Amino acid sequence: MARWRVGVDSGGTFTDVCLFDEEEGRVEVWKVSSTPDDPSRGIAQGVEEGMRRVAPDAAEPGAPVSYFGHGTTVATNALIQHRGVRTGLVTTDGFRDLLEIGRQKRPDLYDMQADKPPTLVPRDLRRQVPERVRHDGRIDLPLDEAAMREAARALKEAGVKAVAVSFLYGFIRPEHERRAVEILREEMPDAFISAGHEIAPEFREFERLSTVVLNAYLGPVMRSYIERLTPRLRALGMTATPHLTQSNGGVIGFQTAAEMPVRAVLSGPSTGVVGAQAIGTLAGFEDLITFDMGGTSTDVALLNGGQCKLASEATVHGYPIKAPMLDIHTVGAGGGSIAFIDSGGLLKVGPRSCGADPGPACYGRGNPEPATTDANVVLQTLNPEYLLGGRMAVRQDLARQAIGRLAERLGLGLMETAQGIISVVTANMARAIRVISVQRGHDPRDYTLMAFGGAGPLHAARLALELDMKRVLVPRNPGILCAMGLLLTDLRADFAATKLLPATAASVAEVASGFDGLAARAGEWFAHEEIAPGDRHLTRTADMRYAGQNYELPVALPAGPVTAETIAALALGFAEAHRQRYGFVAEDEPVQLVTLRLEATGRVRKAVLRSHPEAGPDASAAITGEREVWFPEAGAFVRTPIYARDALRPGNRFTGPAIVEQMDTTTVVLPGMQAHVDPYLNLILEVTA
């Protein structure tokens, strides 16, 4: 019996399933509607339907599965909707209100009415206890255990389900936090407990506090989700150990994910970047801007030399998180984004979305508001009769009615309004890409735009023109690339230690001992995950800054023992990174090392993408028909050939205008563009006019 590796990406609109045959290298895909009330139900349904399709003779659908990887938006959605649990906080006496004070910054500097996100722990559930550790690790005041026990009993009486513990300088000397956790577990055995030194052992008190509070707030939600999903997978006969993706692009076991949900806040988008990295390298394009457009949002990232930078800190939906995550920028622009007229009479699209249910107006489930998908159905860039290869019927009449009502209010024609929606969405996405490129010293014209997600290839050509980019790469299965990325990634964990040191030879011993300590922790993780010695890999970096700067830049450490030459190389690397990001180098300013980081990677067997033989330039055999498609360049409908993606072969070439349809997405090839298929069945669009 064939063995299958299965990756599942559970999004806000669809749940994508990628199935890889280990013996033949065959890739199959499946897609079902998500079940927001209980995402585990949609996942189990997608796996069962997909496996019955590829392995109909198996006694149980899950029996042939040798590996199961999963990306989820459960933590993200719980944070967005503020559906975490009732959470308490224990902190150092005098710092009760730090969570609310934060950095005293408004979300928007020039918006006097801007609202800060709600504080996740109300003041009456924030308890302070006497204890004090100095910045150098000396104990000024031992932990008052009686006060700690009293705080635990008060929180239990208040009915909290989770407790966060974060003491001042707990990351330098964690004894007080450890003892506080012991007392909490004695008094509240059923509560979810998170400690700062375990979740974010780094400096910056507010960001560490925010991270551990988020972890506690989301912990029971993630644990409950995993407890629902695990038996569903077992019921399918699956014996493979399930894994969940982290925000850093690696995967971890379900147990670790349940303990550290804050590391899975960007679980879904991160695997798309991993998949893009692998496919882009095979295709010969390592400098990529990834463009992942789904039903609810669009995620973009920049890859230099095939690598996406790792951010040690990010703000997600208004909350600072100090945890390693791929540098991904998200905007509320997706196929389900709703178009509306703002108070100034201007057309806007998103970030509000119609989601999976009821979905866009064309789904016929009662939503009267026009969405981006409705605009594409009216323009007929999307099939006006059905989606998902015929499995989902759509109603163009309802889409026309919804956009027609908007057109009347704008005083425009139906087609101009539909195209206006696409133009606004394109501008929103272009702005997101400029954030991760132009604003960081990178010219988008030097990169290839890699489009995936259910709606990415539909909008990629126009987005490329907006940014003056000359090439678009559409992978073979763009709608499920996040799911495929799960089959192309390794186990991964990140370890960090704050060490404020000058970047001079005098720091060699402390830097070396710091990395030795991180390596010991990584060794424990390798053993826990049962990674063979030959499959272990460590990568060292250091966060660096000029003395007095408020933000750091990561710099890779040269291989080998830490010596004076290592520190000198770090200083040179920092100067180059600073020039790239900020455009200058302060020659005479002293440089500091701030945080030492170690990335531990456990290599696992991954899906192998295979090339296919050349079939010649003639693509006419893939044409399935024609339809009228609205192109603003012509100001009218244009008779356009429709190509079946499944029938396109390596070497095939054709020119726009053209539409390429497949089960999981639709690709638009604009006039003035040429498309060809490479040996890995990627579709590459290039501007010729």
Side-chain angles (χ1 to χ4, degrees):
M1 180 190 296
R3 302 294 289 170
W4 292 84
R5 299 175 70 80
V6 178
V8 180
D9 178 50
S10 177
T13 307
F14 288 106
T15 294
D16 304 327
V17 184
C18 183
L19 308 107
F20 179 82
D21 184 342
E22 290 184 344
E23 295 178 6
E24 299 181 8
R26 182 165 50 114
V27 175
E28 298 285 346
V29 300
W30 197 245
K31 213 172 179 80
V32 297
S33 291
S34 294
T35 50
D37 60 310
D38 181 2
S40 67
R41 186 159 45 85
I43 293 165
Q45 177 192 345
V47 172
E48 181 175 15
E49 291 182 7
M51 287 306 301
R52 288 200 186 281
R53 182 166 172 262
V54 300
D57 298 330
E60 295 178 294
V65 177
S66 61
Y67 173 87
F68 178 82
H70 169 40
T72 180
T73 56
V74 166
T76 312
N77 292 341
L79 180 58
I80 293 171
Q81 299 166 20
H82 299 114
R83 293 175 122 179
V85 300
R86 186 170 171 83
T87 302
L89 169 64
V90 180
T91 190
T92 303
D93 192 10
F95 289 82
R96 178 183 188 181
D97 295 320
L98 176 61
L99 187 66
E100 202 152 4
I101 295 170
R103 291 290 176 191
Q104 301 186 49
K105 292 180 180 177
R106 291 195 300 273
D108 189 326
L109 182 62
Y110 298 105
D111 184 355
M112 300 301 291
Q113 305 301 319
D115 295 323
K116 292 177 70 175
T119 305
L120 298 180
V121 183
R123 196 169 195 271
D124 63 309
L125 298 181
R126 302 198 294 262
R127 313 291 297 190
Q128 49 191 358
V129 296
E131 71 84 37
R132 193 60 182 261
V133 174
R134 296 287 296 273
H135 70 282
D136 56 4
R138 286 180 294 137
I139 294 178
D140 263 4
L141 182 66
L143 174 67
D144 187 332
E145 295 195 10
M148 181 64 228
R149 200 167 293 276
E150 181 184 342
R153 290 171 179 168
L155 292 173
K156 182 179 181 180
E157 183 69 23
V160 303
K161 303 298 182 186
V163 181
V165 179
S166 185
F167 292 150
L168 197 66
Y169 295 111
F171 66 97
I172 290 178
R173 189 160 183 174
E175 288 97 320
H176 288 178
E177 288 191 357
R178 288 185 184 134
R179 181 57 186 147
V181 168
E182 290 173 359
I183 293 171
L184 283 166
R185 288 190 172 134
E186 290 168 7
E187 298 290 341
M188 307 173 66
D190 297 328
F192 184 94
I193 313 296
S194 277
H197 72 277
E198 296 173 341
I199 305 302
E202 301 179 38
F203 88 137
R204 290 206 169 97
E205 188 65 22
F206 167 61
E207 286 76 12
R208 184 171 73 258
L209 176 62
S210 171
T211 304
V212 70
V213 165
L214 273 168
N215 198 74
Y217 181 74
L218 299 173
V221 176
M222 181 65 84
R223 185 168 59 188
S224 173
Y225 167 69
I226 288 174
E227 288 173 351
R228 289 195 306 271
L229 177 58
T230 302
R232 289 188 189 276
L233 297 176
R234 288 198 190 117
L236 297 176
M238 188 183 299
T239 57
T241 302
H243 292 88
L244 191 85
T245 50
Q246 302 179 89
S247 304
N248 64 8
V251 292
I252 49 175
F254 270 20
Q255 180 182 350
T256 306
E259 294 168 356
M260 294 189 175
V262 76
R263 297 204 169 195
V265 168
L266 295 181
S267 170
S270 68
T271 49
V273 174
V274 171
Q277 175 181 330
I279 291 171
T281 299
L282 281 175
F285 304 112
E286 293 193 330
D287 293 336
L288 297 171
I289 291 177
T290 66
F291 167 50
D292 176 7
M293 183 176 181
T296 307
S297 62
T298 292
D299 305 300
V300 298
L302 185 140
L303 279 69
N304 256 332
Q307 298 296 318
C308 180
K309 284 189 176 179
L310 198 66
S312 60
E313 180 183 319
T315 298
V316 180
H317 303 293
Y319 298 98
I321 295 179
K322 207 159 186 52
M325 54 187 70
L326 294 178
D327 195 0
I328 298 170
H329 186 63
T330 303
V331 291
S337 295
I338 291 173
F340 64 99
I341 299 172
D342 70 4
S343 58
L346 299 176
L347 176 65
K348 295 290 180 69
V349 185
R352 192 163 59 93
S353 173
C354 56
D357 190 8
C362 63
Y363 284 14
R365 295 176 183 164
N367 171 39
E369 298 180 281
T372 307
T373 296
D374 294 310
N376 280 300
V377 167
V378 168
L379 296 167
Q380 299 196 158
T381 45
L382 269 180
N383 193 305
E385 298 177 2
Y386 58 79
L387 300 175
L388 300 182
R391 290 167 48 212
M392 176 185 284
V394 295
R395 291 186 55 182
Q396 190 187 50
D397 60 323
L398 295 179
R400 292 175 69 91
Q401 289 172 22
I403 292 179
R405 288 190 290 270
L406 196 66
E408 288 180 12
R409 295 178 58 197
L410 289 168
L412 296 173
L414 177 69
M415 305 313 295
E416 287 78 11
T417 302
Q419 186 60 49
I421 291 172
I422 302 303
S423 298
V424 171
V425 168
T426 301
N428 291 343
M429 296 181 297
R431 188 162 55 247
I433 286 178
R434 290 188 182 104
V435 168
I436 55 125
S437 58
V438 176
Q439 292 184 20
R440 299 179 185 178
H442 303 281
D443 189 338
R445 294 173 295 184
D446 297 334
Y447 293 78
T448 296
L449 183 67
M450 185 164 183
F452 54 98
L458 190 64
H459 296 265
R462 294 218 173 275
L463 179 59
L465 292 182
E466 178 80 10
L467 294 163
D468 202 20
M469 300 174 73
K470 302 302 182 185
R471 185 185 299 112
V472 177
L473 190 157
V474 181
R476 173 63 185 87
N477 303 111
I480 52 84
L481 191 67
C482 287
M484 180 176 283
L486 286 154
L487 308 182
L488 300 171
T489 189
D490 290 309
L491 290 171
R492 180 167 163 177
D494 293 273
F495 304 91
T498 292
K499 298 270 187 183
L500 193 58
L501 300 167
T504 64
S507 300
V508 167
E510 283 204 65
V511 172
S513 67
F515 277 115
D516 287 344
L518 296 179
R521 290 168 56 195
E524 294 173 1
W525 177 79
F526 281 134
H528 179 266
E529 294 292 342
E530 300 179 347
I531 302 297
D535 293 326
R536 301 177 180 183
H537 180 71
L538 299 175
T539 302
R540 303 175 300 177
T541 58
D543 290 355
M544 302 178 69
R545 69 181 184 187
Y546 288 119
Q549 260 187 324
N550 204 26
Y551 296 100
E552 302 80 45
L553 294 173
V555 181
L557 235 74
V562 177
T563 63
E565 288 72 23
T566 306
I567 305 298
L570 279 174
L572 288 173
F574 170 73
E576 182 57 37
H578 200 277
R579 190 190 307 277
Q580 168 71 46
R581 176 63 66 90
Y582 300 114
F584 73 97
V585 174
E587 300 283 358
D588 299 325
E589 291 294 326
V591 177
Q592 295 176 324
L593 290 88
V594 177
T595 301
L596 309 181
R597 300 190 184 278
L598 187 70
E599 174 192 302
T601 303
R603 298 188 184 94
V604 298
R605 187 177 177 187
K606 295 182 282 294
V608 179
L609 302 177
R610 301 178 182 177
S611 63
H612 299 265
E614 177 86 10
D618 185 8
S620 59
I623 296 177
T624 59
E626 295 181 327
R627 74 165 173 261
E628 299 285 341
V629 178
W630 178 274
F631 286 101
E633 293 86 352
F637 281 101
V638 176
R639 198 74 181 162
T640 304
I642 309 300
Y643 290 82
R645 183 72 186 268
D646 291 344
L648 289 171
R649 294 291 174 261
N652 285 181
R653 292 181 176 271
F654 55 95
T655 57
I659 301 291
V660 182
E661 291 186 342
Q662 60 192 102
M663 187 277 289
D664 54 333
T665 195
T666 297
T667 303
V668 175
V669 184
L670 294 175
M673 284 186 167
Q674 184 179 79
H676 72 272
V677 183
D678 78 356
Y680 294 95
L681 300 179
N682 299 307
L683 185 63
I684 299 171
L685 283 56
E686 294 181 303
V687 177
T688 57

